Amino acid sequence: MHRLRFLLPLILGIVSALGIPPWSFLPATVVAIAAWLHLVHEAPSLRRVLGIGWWFGVGHFAIANAWVQQPFAFQDAMPPSLGYVAVLALAAYLAIYPMLAAGLAWRLASPAARRDLAPAPDAAFVLVAGAAWTVTEYLRGAMFTGYPWDPLSVVLVPAGLAQPAWAVGTYTLSGLIVVVAGALMLLVLRRWRLAAIAVPGFALLALIGTDRCRIATCVPTPEARQLLRVVQPNLPEEERPTAAYAENNFEALARESGRPGDRPRLLFWPEGAMRFPVEDGYPRYVYDYMGSATLARVRMAALLGDRDAILTGAQTMTFDPRSDEVTAATNSVVLVEPDARLHGRYDKSHLVPFGEYLPLPWLLKPLGLARLVPGDFDFTPGPGPRAISVTGFGRVGILICYEVIFSGATVDPRDRPDFLFNPSNDAWFGDLGPPAHLAQAQLRAIEEGLPIVRSTPTGISAIIAADGRILTAIGMHRTGAIEAPIPPRFAPTPFSRLGNWTVAIAALALTLIAIAIRRRRR
């Protein structure tokens, strides 16, 4: 039986992921983490506990990242079956972080590692485990360009319990989930004190944020008359490589963009929506092959009234002036106004490994691996969070697709926007990825106290309030548009001021409390 001892942590890891959207079964996550903490505490050796942590992580991340298989279905350079290998390989790497959290908790606060400690789990062990999870989840979002997809705290979003993120941030909130789960474990073991403090305390933090205009400053919108219109064309990903896709996509976007009215409108089109060039100054052969940039902008401007504008995803390029060869490309958002000119551009800064660039190409290309997104060259990163000024609508911060999952890297604090725009192409993610992606955008809204507008080709597009509530949305695989006034924003939140320094503060506080508990007991 000892050869199968990895099965229990593996199963617990799988169950723990069932709280993540689209499943959203929060009790499964809490119970699984509570049971896992008990396994960690009772492990007889560091080697055993590292195995418990790693197998738990493999199960958790294999489910949380199951959508990673889907992009392989659209990549001719690699077989779709390789996607399942990619899911397991990614889970094997990401499992290192729960393994480290388990190792730290065991080494610092388990009686098997410290002979001076009581044999039963106690509050100090749970608090150290929460601190360890907080730090290691932050490291997961930072190491090797970071991969913070599906932080543990995302399980709170569907339940409406993620409000503490405005004060402590995503990673600390994840650590608090571990503390609450551990407190419930202690309650089962008839040790009720931590549960008596942690559970009501967490509930109070969650409730405090439900009506934040009473405890924080709600900043008026630039003008209540202005309308935001989000367009979802619902063209399937399978059509992108076809010759007719660019025109079909534009026509679908145009149909759902509506007509000018009495109220000024800002239209939002998804990531990569414009498949035609939008910039002047390219070599002639580009326009001969892809179409006229001037004509593309004129067609967009024809959809606008005198006070309207469009923010759309596009791809921009840089050329060698001597050879006219492409030297760089960017995944961008551009602003087009009624004069058919570009009035702003943002270039995506946090690119997706294997999606927008191939890491270690000198090694991976000879092995037959390619980017998951078809194309001949990698994208070039932009300078980081920036805002575009839109006449009558204020400052709009841009986060293209994957960028919205990075807690603490959302806003330039020196140029705080009025709201955020998150264009994405979630068609790559199948049916599992979009609900989780949306929930992570809701976490960013809560953290920063800013509304977020999401536009995707096939869903889920949404307008999100500054407290994370979805005001209106278009579901997956539907064609349509949604329209709403600009939601109010909050004054800078505690997290927006401190950023991920909250990780260090929380981890230190939990550890110091654990030390104080142990010393008092002695």
Side-chain angles (χ1 to χ4, degrees), residues 34-393:
W36 176 69
L37 286 173
H38 193 267
L39 285 181
V40 170
H41 184 274
E42 299 301 308
S45 66
L46 181 59
R47 180 177 179 181
R48 180 76 63 84
V49 82
L50 292 178
I52 290 170
W54 189 78
W55 281 110
F56 177 88
V58 169
H60 179 87
F61 290 113
I63 300 302
N65 291 280
W67 61 270
V68 168
Q69 187 278 330
Q70 189 65 29
F72 285 82
F74 306 109
Q75 173 58 273
D76 293 335
M78 293 178 286
S81 58
L82 190 59
Y84 299 102
V85 177
V87 170
L88 293 177
L90 180 61
Y93 160 66
L94 297 175
I96 292 172
Y97 297 97
M99 180 185 77
L100 292 175
L104 284 169
W106 184 89
R107 185 66 186 85
L108 297 174
S110 172
R114 300 278 302 278
R115 297 183 184 277
D116 58 327
L117 303 182
D122 62 359
F125 169 76
V126 170
L127 294 173
V128 170
W133 189 283
T134 299
V135 171
T136 55
E137 189 171 270
Y138 166 76
L139 290 176
R140 174 163 71 88
M143 297 292 288
F144 310 115
T145 77
Y147 186 81
W149 182 273
D150 281 345
L152 187 60
S153 52
V154 79
V155 302
L156 298 175
V157 174
L161 298 174
Q163 290 302 320
W166 77 302
V168 300
T170 289
Y171 304 127
T172 299
L173 187 56
S174 294
L176 293 179
I177 293 175
V178 172
V179 171
V180 170
L184 295 177
M185 173 196 69
L186 296 180
L187 188 61
V188 171
L189 297 174
R190 299 184 179 180
R191 313 189 86 165
W192 55 269
R193 290 184 180 178
L194 182 61
I197 297 171
V199 175
F202 187 89
L204 179 63
L205 280 175
L207 289 172
I208 282 175
T210 55
D211 189 7
R212 282 164 56 191
C213 277
R214 294 188 179 183
I215 57 174
T217 304
C218 281
V219 180
T221 57
E223 284 188 39
R225 293 189 68 250
Q226 318 290 43
L227 289 176
L228 310 179
R229 184 177 181 90
V230 182
V231 177
Q232 183 168 296
N234 195 34
L235 261 66
E237 196 65 26
E238 292 88 342
E239 291 192 20
R240 287 178 83 88
T242 63
Y245 179 83
E247 181 60 29
N248 292 341
N249 190 55
F250 183 88
E251 291 178 359
L253 289 162
R255 281 194 301 271
E256 298 301 328
S257 292
R259 296 182 177 181
D262 295 335
R263 301 173 71 176
R265 305 173 308 152
L266 180 55
L267 305 180
F268 298 90
W269 288 3
E271 178 187 18
M274 279 303 295
R275 311 304 293 179
F276 300 110
V278 293
E279 291 187 316
D280 297 322
Y282 291 176
R284 183 178 180 83
Y285 74 85
V286 176
Y287 304 123
D288 290 341
Y289 178 70
M290 298 181 66
S292 165
T294 302
L295 179 58
R297 297 196 304 270
V298 167
R299 294 178 72 187
M300 282 191 281
L303 304 171
L304 304 176
D306 292 341
R307 294 175 294 169
D308 295 347
I310 294 177
L311 280 168
T312 179
Q315 293 180 5
T316 59
M317 294 178 283
T318 304
F319 295 84
D320 186 326
R322 293 169 296 180
S323 64
D324 283 346
E325 293 182 354
V326 178
T327 57
T330 58
N331 186 352
S332 304
V333 165
V334 297
L335 172 65
V336 178
E337 295 191 353
D339 60 2
R341 296 178 181 273
L342 296 185
H343 289 265
R345 174 180 136 186
Y346 168 82
D347 298 332
K348 185 177 183 180
S349 63
H350 214 127
L351 302 177
V352 182
F354 295 98
E356 292 166 314
Y357 74 96
L358 183 67
L360 305 175
W362 55 271
L363 173 64
L364 298 181
K365 280 188 177 180
L367 296 176
L369 297 178
R371 293 190 298 115
L372 298 180
V373 180
D376 296 328
F377 43 81
D378 293 345
F379 286 109
T380 301
R386 294 290 186 276
I388 295 177
S389 181
V390 184
T391 303
F393 291 86

Side-chain angles (χ1 to χ4, degrees), residues 17-25 63-64 150 158 431-437 460 476:
L18 298 182
I20 296 170
W23 304 287
S24 304
F25 188 49
I63 300 302
D150 281 345
D431 290 339
L432 297 180
H437 205 185
I460 305 167
M476 287 189 289

